[in-house]
Amino acid sequence: MNDAPPDRPNDAPNAAPRFIAVGADARRIAVRETPGSGRAGPGVFWCGGYQSDMRGTKAEALAEWGARAGRTVVRFDYSGHGESDGAFIDGTISRWAEEALAVFECETGGPQIVVGSSMGGWIALLLARALAARGAGGRLAGLVLIAPAPDFTEALMWEAMSPEIRAELMEKGVWYRESEYGPPQPITRALIEDGRRNLVLGVPFAVGCPVRILQGVADETVPWQHAMRLVSCLAEDDVVLTMVKDGDHRLSRPEDIARILDAVETIA
C-alpha cells in the first residue's frame, strides 16, 4: 500500500496548510504534507511539543529530508498551536492526542514512523495505544522520540510545584509559569487532571515496533533520567537510547538533526 493517501495536492514550501475538523467541537487542525513516491519506505508522521509548531527547525528538517528522499512526511499543529485554530489554554493531553489520531487516520496510509518531540513523545505513545486498541498497531513502523516527555504534567510539573503554587492552580484553575522558550506558559487545572488520566509510565507496556530515543544529557527541561524511566517500561520492544552528552532540550543543532534523520533512516 502507498504510504500517502491518493488524490492529495502536493504542498509547495509556502503553500497554505490543509485543515481537518476534529472532535465534537470541530476544531480546525492545520496539516502539511511533503508528498513522497510511495516506494521509498514508510511515511513519517510528526508530533510536536508543548507550545511548539510544525514550522519549527526539526519538523522543517524532516520535511526537507522527505522531499529529498521521496518519503511522505505529514505534520500538523495541535489546537491552540501554530496554524491551527483554538486557544492554547483550552488544551489537554486528551484533546491533543485525539487530534493526532484523527490526522494520522485521515491523512496517512500504510506504515508510518512516528517522530515525537518532547510532549510529542507522550502523544506518540498514546497514539500507539489507540491504534493497538483499534487493531491497527501494524500501521506503526517505528517510533523516534526526541527528549520524550511522557507524563510530564505529573512528573515534571505537578511534582515540582510548591504547595503555594498547587493551591493557586486548584483555586484559580490556572497558573502561569515563566518559560525560556517564549511567553509565560499557562498551566491549567484541566491539563493536570486530564494528564493523570493518560499516564503511561510506572508499569511495563509494549508499543510493538522499534523505538529510537534521543536524549540530551544537558536537558534541563526533561532530565535524562526521565528517558531512562521510559526505557525501563518498554522491556518487550526493540529500544535504542542515544544520549547526547552536550545536548539540550531542543536537540535542533545540525549534528542533532543528523542524528534524528539517521534514527528515522535506520528504522526504514
Side-chain angles (χ1 to χ4, degrees):
M1 180 185 294
N2 193 310
D3 63 313
D7 304 323
R8 294 253 171 80
N10 292 354
D11 281 355
N14 296 313
R18 297 192 299 274
F19 289 88
I20 68 169
V22 179
D25 54 353
R27 304 185 295 280
R28 293 180 73 245
I29 303 303
V31 181
R32 291 180 178 274
E33 177 187 334
T34 302
S37 65
R39 298 181 297 275
V44 176
F45 184 75
W46 169 259
C47 293
Y50 188 72
Q51 287 197 316
S52 298
D53 62 65
M54 62 176 166
R55 304 304 295 272
T57 302
K58 294 186 289 292
E60 291 281 9
L62 270 175
E64 292 167 4
W65 168 82
R68 296 193 304 270
R71 300 280 287 279
T72 300
V73 178
V74 173
R75 47 197 168 127
F76 71 101
D77 284 330
Y78 309 112
S79 56
H81 291 69
E83 297 170 290
S84 289
D85 289 351
F88 175 80
I89 199 169
D90 294 331
T92 63
I93 300 301
S94 292
R95 283 168 66 89
W96 295 329
E98 178 187 33
E99 291 155 10
L101 178 61
V103 175
F104 187 92
E105 291 188 325
C106 293
E107 301 291 320
T108 73
Q112 301 290 315
I113 299 171
V114 179
V115 182
S117 177
S118 192
M119 182 184 77
W122 191 0
I123 299 296
L125 295 169
L126 293 174
L127 176 61
R129 176 182 290 177
L131 291 173
R134 294 172 181 232
R139 293 286 314 281
L140 290 182
L143 301 182
V144 175
L145 309 180
I146 307 160
D151 299 7
F152 77 91
T153 54
E154 191 71 13
L156 304 178
M157 284 184 172
W158 181 258
E159 292 180 5
M161 292 176 180
S162 68
E164 292 76 17
I165 292 174
R166 290 182 183 181
E168 178 181 341
L169 178 64
M170 297 302 290
E171 179 182 348
K172 296 182 178 179
V174 63
W175 172 71
Y176 288 86
R177 180 179 70 174
E178 295 297 323
S179 170
E180 62 180 298
Y181 301 120
Q185 297 175 342
I187 300 174
T188 66
R189 176 175 176 174
L191 177 68
I192 296 295
E193 293 180 342
D194 177 78
R196 290 177 182 145
R197 293 189 285 271
N198 289 284
L199 300 178
V200 297
L201 300 181
V203 296
F205 63 94
V207 294
C209 64
V211 180
R212 303 293 178 260
I213 301 173
L214 292 92
Q215 175 67 48
V217 177
D219 187 339
E220 296 182 355
T221 303
V222 180
W224 63 266
Q225 293 89 343
H226 199 73
M228 295 299 295
R229 286 189 63 194
L230 174 58
V231 171
S232 69
C233 291
L234 296 171
E236 297 181 19
D237 295 302
D238 169 13
V239 180
V240 176
L241 169 63
T242 299
M243 303 291 278
V244 183
K245 188 173 182 180
D246 61 344
D248 62 9
H249 186 60
R250 289 178 179 271
L251 288 180
S252 57
R253 302 167 302 178
E255 59 267 37
D256 300 323
I257 298 297
R259 291 186 181 98
I260 294 167
L261 297 180
D262 182 66
V264 173
E265 291 173 341
T266 57
I267 290 178

